[in-house]
Amino acid sequence: MDINQEDLHEARVKTVVSSMPSDGAISEMGARFKVISEPSRLKILLALSAGELCVEHITEAVGGNQSAVSHQLRTLKDNRIVKCRREGKKVLYSISDGHILTMIEMAKEHLDCND
């Protein structure tokens, strides 16, 4: 490697080091990826990508049972991925951060990518 390549690589390393998130932030990122990567939670998020839904309609959309869907919604809520609001007797759920939908859409687009 000539000196110019070495300088280039050193500059890249400095850029990476200066922009690297803290260990705590990296742990939180990993935890969120883990939460959304579980198949039943991912299906719930895909259902909620259409908009706000109650547990009954989420259950219908994902083909699960209400108890399991409620459990997964709690996990998503505890991790601040979904939020809820009460409307009369119903609790309506929605995605709390649009970036989650962007990540899911990107993953869907890359399912058929062979590069």
Side-chain angles (χ1 to χ4, degrees):
M1 188 173 345
D2 64 25
I3 193 71
N4 291 335
Q5 284 292 328
E6 187 66 30
D7 289 344
L8 177 63
H9 291 183
E10 288 295 325
R12 286 180 182 160
V13 169
K14 286 180 183 177
T15 299
V16 168
V17 169
S18 68
S19 65
M20 185 71 66
S22 69
D23 288 347
I26 289 173
S27 291
E28 187 173 336
M29 289 166 53
R32 289 213 179 146
F33 279 123
K34 184 176 181 180
V35 169
I36 67 172
S37 69
E38 196 281 326
S40 60
R41 290 190 287 261
L42 186 54
K43 284 175 83 172
I44 289 168
L45 292 171
L46 287 165
L48 290 174
S49 71
E52 192 174 60
L53 293 169
C54 67
V55 174
E56 177 184 345
H57 292 129
I58 295 169
T59 301
E60 184 180 333
V62 302
N65 68 61
Q66 191 164 338
S67 176
V69 168
S70 293
H71 175 75
Q72 299 301 347
L73 282 166
R74 173 163 305 285
T75 299
L76 290 165
K77 187 178 171 204
D78 289 348
N79 284 276
R80 301 183 317 267
I81 295 169
V82 300
K83 61 185 177 183
C84 64
R85 69 179 183 85
R86 186 167 292 282
E87 187 174 280
K89 292 184 177 185
K90 293 198 180 243
V91 176
L92 299 171
Y93 291 87
S94 61
I95 295 176
S96 63
D97 181 354
H99 293 103
I100 296 293
L101 289 178
T102 302
M103 292 167 43
I104 291 169
E105 285 304 314
M106 287 178 69
K108 281 173 45 179
E109 288 175 17
H110 287 274
L111 285 173
D112 297 325
C113 187
N114 294 322
D115 296 338

